[in-house]
Amino acid sequence: MSGPSNYQPGSAFEKWLDTRLPIIRLGYDSIVDFPTPKNLNYWYTFGGILTFCLAVQIVTGIVLAMHYVASAQPFIEGSNISQAFASVQRIQRDVSYGWLIQSLHTVGASMFFIAVYIHMFRGLYYGSYKAPREILWAIGVVIFLLMMATAFMGYVLPWGQMSFHGAAVITNLIGAFPVVGDALRTWIWGDFAVSNATLNRFFSLHYLMPFVIAAMVGMHIWALHVPGNNNPTGVEVKSKADTVPFHPFYTVKDAFALALFMILFAAFVFFMPDALGHPDNYIPANALSTPTHIVPEWYFLPFYAILRAIPDKLGGVIAMFGSIMVLFALPWLDTSRVKSMRYRPLARQFFLLFVVACLTLGYVGAQPAEGLFLIIAQIATAYYFLFFLAILPILGIVERPGNAPASISEAVLKPGAARPAHAAAE
Amino acid sequence: MAEANTAPGMMTPLGHGAGTNEHDASRRDFIFIAAGAAGAIGAAAVVWPLIDQMNPAGDARALATIEFDLAKLELGQEVRFTWQGKPVFARRRTPEEITKSEQTALSALKDKLSRNQGLPASADASDANRVPVGPDGKPKPEFIVLVGTCTHLGCVPVFGQGDFGGWFCPCHGSHYDTAGRIRIGPAPANLEVPKLAFVTDSVVRIG
Amino acid sequence: MKPNIVALGSLFGLLAFGLAPSALASESKAHPKHVGFSFEGPLGTYDRGALQRGFQVYKQVCATCHSLNLLSYRHLGEKGGPFECFPAPQTEGEGEAHGTAHVRPICPATPNDNPIVKAIAAEVSITDRDENGDEIDRPGRPADRFRAPFENEQRARGANGGALPPDLSLIVKARHGGADYIYSLLLGYGENPEGLNVPDGKYYNPWFPGDVASIWSGEKNSVPEGGLIAMAPQLEIASQIVEFGDGTPATPEQIARDVATFLAWASEPKVESRKRTGVVVMIYLILLAGLLFVAYKAVWRNQSH
């Protein structure tokens, strides 16, 4: 996608094609010959894993759409089970391998988020958002937002109790906006409450979004291939000695990591498909009664905790959206000249504390928003924003970073030599 | 291990350095082929569920057989119902119709095969081979049960029109007789007779 | 000594997790009795005898009030179902002569050919319409859905003092604790705790989710756990009515266990295929990961990194 190309068309056909549509050249330059830092560790395999996750969701999703019925009408006369709910059960019970495909899709959503969170924390730790990769990072945040929207709408589709009341809670957030809130909410519902119309449009958009995500992933990879990969040292590639060709070095490493990831994936799909879900979503949607303990899917819990930590409705909504928006500003909030936190002793500790804060938010997000939990959520929320808005900007000025190696090769040859003493154990 | 660093610019992943010998190379090739083959087998195994899911599901398969009580039919009456989503015609023929159909010479037929799922493919299209066989093993010529899909392009023929007293397909003008055999028109074959089995004296199971 | 922010943070995190149980007093509840069903674990399968007995209990007792809307009679004879296979009918005398001789079971290709499933369906009268559009009652067929005891929610509530008996198709998946919960709930009825004023038409059950503080006249901090359920205790009566064909004594514990097994199957009839496939997939993936690791090592062998 960038830089000089080493592609040599072999056959006459390849030569002919190369002068008309250099698609083989594109593939060769991007995933075969692409010079990649030779010190990428396993945290860097999650990009490939995420591509796999997206492919799984799209393929299984297309299949499920062949059987799913987006209708809130009763599936048989007199029943309070909707056609949507019954069609998901029909997939589980009657469609050949439907149980497998549906389970892959549901569990796949969780796996997607596990991978994306690791991918994001990795970028955060190694400073992958810093120049010249600000756009790359911003596209990543857009993909994350799209993923959240897609996952939310997908969770509504089975039309169980959690689907229905989860949709009600989240769409009601929009009502918090001044002036236009009510009109906007009604417009999104297409009715005066979450209804059949809402279900239908959510299905339509749930089908559309993954293709938008796929396009954004293409841009993400494009933006990655212009400056090339960051790496654990945060030191840019200086010479060819710092790199290896992507294939076979990283294709095989990514494939191995993917196989490990698939073992985890399969363990959930085949042995505990409901472990990450909530029993209440196996109760058909009932507009007259809300589940006593309503929680979103686990991957939204930290944001849900931030929402509830603020005692004001609009304030909570702003904080929740702000917690993601702040990521867009991150490349300019972090003032340090050193990329990788490997060589930033203080930032490292604040980063680990940030991870703890995120996990804590995830935990309290699943608990009732009262008493001690509320206080914990507020402290963790405060730290979340402080980390981006105060700690990172100030640290860049006051912190004395350790000595980063002169090049990747040097770091590889003399591990530990260039690092601050207390980082050597890493 | 370390000599790689003495060769800056080295880009080929395989077969460099003094330590490499032929044995190593073939061992590595074997590993790559094995890993690649294992991956390919896995990918192929995943394809099957994705294909099979498009086949009829359990609820559709459960309706693959249905039962029908022929005793409900009055003389000359035709009843239509669906089986596997396809139209089925069940009709009680009059004695004149039966005689006429039985006397039709095979040579007068356009399609000389029975097209009866309950008979071998080579059975001829005589009237006896088109009608259901009762629980006593004797043909019941007063009844005829047909899949009502024109063998031309799948339209549904109507009864009582056409030149042979049977069915007529309005789409492209195929004429069938009272045993559902094609006589004139573009249709290449007789109307299909589904597999029939009597559950009681008059209740027949289709499929 | 540097101030260790990580240690501080971890302490903070631990605090959050550690305090959870005490702060959760209102939510915390002992897990229902761990019954140890045969279908638990990565290799568990359904006990066919328990499934068949459980179906009998459903049919004779539960079906009076509870629907099973997502199931059809054919499901009983499908792969993994209670009546998938049955012993071959024996000619007179043969069975007695050989005593417990090995009988090869018959497993019909489709539930439509399964005489047991057909007989179960045929016992039920299904409301349908004839060719004139008139309402008729006809014997059920395997493809028919389980007939619901009430035509609609209003009638179901009307016949049950305003409470709606839930559909049981997914009850095991839709409740925390699953089959253990069903088992414990059914056996959980007993004497009402002293000081609990249970209204007429309701029953106290320690396993039923709810809050009985408003009818509790005892000490404020010792409100009994559990809730008020509209379903009367069933097992005492059930053990009088039900007689198992296979000679298993119909004790309340046995009935609870069998019906919980049947309802677990009803919630997820494909469990056995899922687990069987899972074992093969896991073995494959572990082998694949092993091969890829060796390939990874071979590729990177001469490359410092």
Side-chain angles (χ1 to χ4, degrees):
Chain A
M1 285 183 182
S2 66
S5 175
N6 294 314
Y7 173 61
Q8 303 286 338
S11 64
F13 171 73
E14 282 177 51
K15 288 194 181 91
W16 180 86
L17 186 66
D18 196 51
T19 51
R20 286 158 180 82
L21 179 72
I23 190 164
I24 302 179
R25 181 181 295 275
L26 177 70
Y28 182 83
D29 294 345
S30 317
I31 55 173
V32 177
D33 189 40
F34 188 72
T36 314
K38 60 186 184 182
N39 59 336
L40 300 187
N41 55 28
Y42 280 107
W43 299 114
Y44 281 79
T45 58
F46 282 88
I49 287 169
L50 283 163
T51 314
F52 167 79
C53 287
L54 179 62
V56 168
Q57 292 307 90
I58 290 181
V59 170
T60 55
I62 288 171
V63 164
L64 292 173
M66 295 180 189
H67 304 283
Y68 173 73
V69 181
S71 164
Q73 301 302 318
F75 92 115
I76 46 172
E77 213 186 317
S79 173
N80 51 16
I81 300 177
S82 65
Q83 290 182 8
F85 189 94
S87 71
V88 173
Q89 282 301 311
R90 181 176 167 274
I91 292 169
Q92 284 274 356
R93 291 158 192 267
D94 290 333
V95 172
S96 304
Y97 293 101
W99 58 269
L100 172 62
I101 295 161
Q102 204 261 336
S103 192
L104 280 171
H105 198 71
T106 316
V107 173
S110 284
M111 293 296 135
F112 209 153
F113 275 96
I114 289 176
V116 88
Y117 283 134
I118 295 175
H119 192 64
M120 289 167 77
F121 279 124
R122 189 270 291 153
L124 216 49
Y125 184 77
Y126 292 121
S128 303
Y129 48 86
K130 292 164 89 75
R133 296 185 184 81
E134 302 95 323
I135 298 288
L136 172 62
W137 172 262
I139 295 170
V141 179
V142 170
I143 292 172
F144 178 56
L145 279 170
L146 289 170
M147 274 177 67
M148 297 213 292
T150 311
F152 161 66
M153 289 189 288
Y155 191 62
V156 174
L157 301 184
W159 212 241
Q161 273 289 68
M162 281 293 178
S163 300
F164 183 85
H165 294 284
V169 168
I170 300 299
T171 49
N172 269 308
L173 294 180
I174 297 156
F177 287 113
V179 189
V180 293
D182 274 347
L184 194 60
R185 186 179 53 181
T186 309
W187 177 74
I188 286 173
W189 284 340
D191 206 325
F192 301 100
V194 175
S195 66
N196 194 49
T198 324
L199 176 63
N200 273 280
R201 60 192 58 186
F202 277 16
F203 179 48
S204 170
L205 295 173
H206 181 72
Y207 202 116
L208 166 72
M209 291 276 200
F211 299 99
V212 180
I213 293 177
M216 295 307 287
V217 167
M219 302 244 285
H220 195 59
I221 296 171
W222 187 11
L224 167 71
H225 281 198
V226 175
N229 287 74
N230 183 29
N231 66 82
T233 65
V235 177
E236 294 295 322
V237 169
K238 299 258 163 61
S239 72
K240 269 194 160 182
D242 291 344
T243 68
V244 289
F246 189 80
H247 178 76
F249 287 99
Y250 285 109
T251 43
V252 74
K253 188 168 184 168
D254 282 358
F256 170 59
L258 179 60
L260 294 182
F261 185 78
M262 282 159 78
I263 291 173
L264 175 74
F265 197 149
F268 276 104
V269 166
F270 292 104
F271 301 111
M272 38 189 169
D274 295 317
L276 299 168
H278 199 286
D280 279 30
N281 220 27
Y282 282 111
I283 304 172
N286 177 0
L288 299 178
S289 103
T290 301
T292 45
H293 191 120
I294 186 153
V295 284
E297 289 282 83
W298 70 266
Y299 39 80
F300 291 141
L301 289 174
F303 302 101
Y304 193 57
I306 292 175
L307 170 79
R308 298 189 306 175
I310 312 290
D312 175 65
K313 186 173 173 181
L314 181 61
V317 175
I318 290 172
M320 187 176 74
F321 285 115
S323 66
I324 297 164
M325 291 304 144
V326 73
L327 296 175
F328 283 110
L330 173 63
W332 295 277
L333 288 172
D334 183 358
T335 51
S336 174
R337 275 167 39 245
V338 176
K339 276 205 191 83
S340 173
M341 290 194 189
R342 243 187 206 180
Y343 310 108
R344 299 182 60 191
L346 272 175
R348 256 159 63 105
Q349 299 203 15
F350 282 110
F351 170 80
L352 289 176
L353 194 53
F354 176 75
V355 176
V356 172
C358 289
L359 294 175
T360 306
L361 281 172
Y363 175 76
V364 294
Q367 308 304 331
E370 57 198 28
L372 193 60
F373 288 125
L374 190 60
I375 298 164
I376 294 171
Q378 286 167 343
I379 296 170
T381 302
Y383 182 77
Y384 182 100
F385 284 104
L386 274 177
F387 179 73
F388 290 113
L389 298 174
I391 295 171
L392 284 180
I394 294 168
L395 270 188
I397 298 159
V398 302
E399 185 182 36
R400 280 195 56 208
N403 296 321
S407 72
I408 294 170
S409 294
E410 189 194 293
V412 168
L413 285 181
K414 299 186 220 107
R419 299 185 199 178
H422 63 274
E426 184 197 343
Chain B
M1 289 280 175
E3 87 270 283
N5 313 298
T6 63
M10 181 281 307
M11 294 296 275
T12 46
L14 303 174
H16 68 85
T20 309
N21 59 34
E22 225 170 88
H23 176 74
D24 269 5
S26 70
R27 184 174 155 273
R28 274 204 303 257
D29 284 349
F30 170 75
I31 291 163
F32 296 151
I33 290 165
I41 290 166
V46 167
V47 169
W48 173 243
L50 296 176
I51 293 170
D52 193 33
Q53 54 86 17
M54 283 174 77
N55 280 317
D59 48 348
R61 284 200 307 269
L63 299 169
T65 64
I66 59 164
E67 290 173 5
F68 182 77
D69 188 357
L70 292 172
K72 288 194 293 192
L73 291 169
E74 316 240 344
L75 202 62
Q77 188 194 7
E78 183 210 35
V79 165
R80 296 183 167 202
F81 50 93
T82 56
W83 164 63
Q84 292 186 333
K86 294 179 282 197
V88 173
F89 305 156
R91 185 166 180 275
R92 185 167 195 162
R93 301 189 294 181
T94 62
E96 306 83 70
E97 287 171 344
I98 297 168
T99 319
K100 200 173 164 197
S101 181
E102 282 174 344
Q103 285 170 354
T104 305
L106 274 181
S107 57
L109 297 176
K110 187 178 171 192
D111 176 19
K112 295 179 177 55
L113 295 174
S114 71
R115 307 292 173 185
N116 184 336
Q117 290 181 358
L119 293 176
S122 59
D124 68 53
S126 65
D127 192 72
N129 281 348
R130 299 278 296 164
V131 299
V133 176
D136 52 359
K138 289 182 193 153
K140 284 178 169 276
E142 63 269 39
F143 297 111
I144 186 94
V145 180
L146 301 165
V147 174
T149 307
C150 181
T151 56
H152 181 221
L153 289 170
C155 292
V156 181
V158 291
F159 183 78
Q161 292 179 29
D163 301 346
F164 296 85
W167 287 268
F168 171 72
C169 182
C171 290
H172 307 96
S174 294
H175 300 249
Y176 298 90
D177 65 15
T178 58
R181 295 173 295 194
I182 180 68
R183 304 299 285 270
I184 303 177
N190 302 326
L191 290 179
E192 205 173 342
V193 177
K195 199 173 159 194
L196 301 170
F198 278 86
V199 182
T200 69
D201 267 356
S202 66
V203 175
V204 69
R205 190 175 74 192
I206 300 163
Chain C
M1 293 293 280
K2 288 188 205 348
N4 196 331
I5 305 167
V6 179
L8 263 170
S10 309
L11 199 72
F12 176 73
L14 279 176
L15 197 73
F17 288 84
L19 285 168
S22 54
L24 261 181
S26 60
E27 286 274 319
S28 85
K29 170 167 257 204
H31 185 83
K33 176 184 153 68
H34 192 255
V35 182
F37 289 104
S38 65
F39 51 83
E40 288 167 7
L43 300 171
T45 55
Y46 290 116
D47 169 357
R48 286 296 178 287
L51 280 184
Q52 294 175 4
R53 292 191 298 272
F55 168 67
Q56 189 188 338
V57 175
Y58 169 76
K59 189 174 78 169
Q60 292 188 298
V61 185
C62 320
T64 330
C65 298
H66 291 278
S67 56
L68 209 51
N69 276 334
L70 294 170
L71 274 89
S72 301
Y73 297 106
R74 67 187 159 83
H75 284 124
L76 296 169
E78 283 179 359
K79 204 159 177 286
F83 302 102
E84 173 193 3
C85 297
F86 51 89
Q90 295 173 8
T91 45
E92 283 294 316
E94 191 194 326
E96 289 153 40
H98 293 285
T100 53
H102 179 71
V103 185
R104 187 187 296 268
I106 298 178
C107 304
T110 77
N112 296 326
D113 305 326
N114 187 316
I116 296 180
V117 173
K118 286 176 81 169
I120 288 169
E123 279 177 30
V124 183
S125 128
I126 299 285
T127 308
D128 203 347
R129 293 192 183 271
D130 65 8
E131 55 268 30
N132 304 321
D134 297 322
E135 212 166 75
I136 51 157
D137 284 334
R138 59 162 175 82
R141 296 190 284 251
D144 287 318
R145 291 187 178 282
F146 270 68
R147 201 186 67 164
F150 304 104
E151 277 171 53
N152 51 48
E153 185 181 331
Q154 290 73 18
R155 292 206 177 170
R157 284 190 189 277
N160 287 284
L164 176 68
D167 183 85
L168 296 184
S169 316
L170 277 166
I171 201 77
V172 167
K173 280 194 169 204
R175 295 291 181 274
H176 284 283
D180 285 344
Y181 166 79
I182 304 294
Y183 178 89
S184 301
L185 180 87
L186 289 175
L187 287 168
Y189 294 89
E191 292 288 305
N192 289 337
E194 191 92 6
L196 197 66
N197 309 310
V198 178
D200 279 349
K202 296 277 184 187
Y203 305 86
Y204 168 73
N205 191 309
W207 300 106
F208 194 68
D211 185 356
V212 292
S214 59
I215 54 161
W216 174 245
S217 59
E219 272 188 62
K220 281 277 171 282
N221 53 4
S222 62
V223 181
E225 280 184 16
L228 296 180
I229 185 170
M231 178 173 76
Q234 298 293 327
L235 292 184
E236 282 306 319
I237 309 154
S239 58
Q240 317 273 314
I241 305 171
V242 175
E243 199 171 316
F244 291 131
D246 61 3
T248 308
T251 61
E253 286 77 16
Q254 186 67 40
I255 290 176
R257 194 186 182 93
D258 290 346
V259 85
T261 304
F262 172 71
L263 292 174
W265 168 81
S267 280
E268 200 184 355
K270 295 287 162 77
V271 151
E272 291 178 0
S273 312
R274 164 160 76 71
K275 290 178 179 172
R276 249 196 328 269
T277 314
V279 170
V280 178
V281 170
M282 287 307 245
I283 292 170
Y284 164 78
L285 283 177
I286 289 166
L287 286 176
L288 179 70
L291 274 172
L292 285 168
F293 182 71
V294 176
Y296 162 63
K297 282 291 171 201
V299 166
W300 283 85
R301 202 165 71 109
N302 294 317
Q303 180 63 52
S304 60
H305 62 285

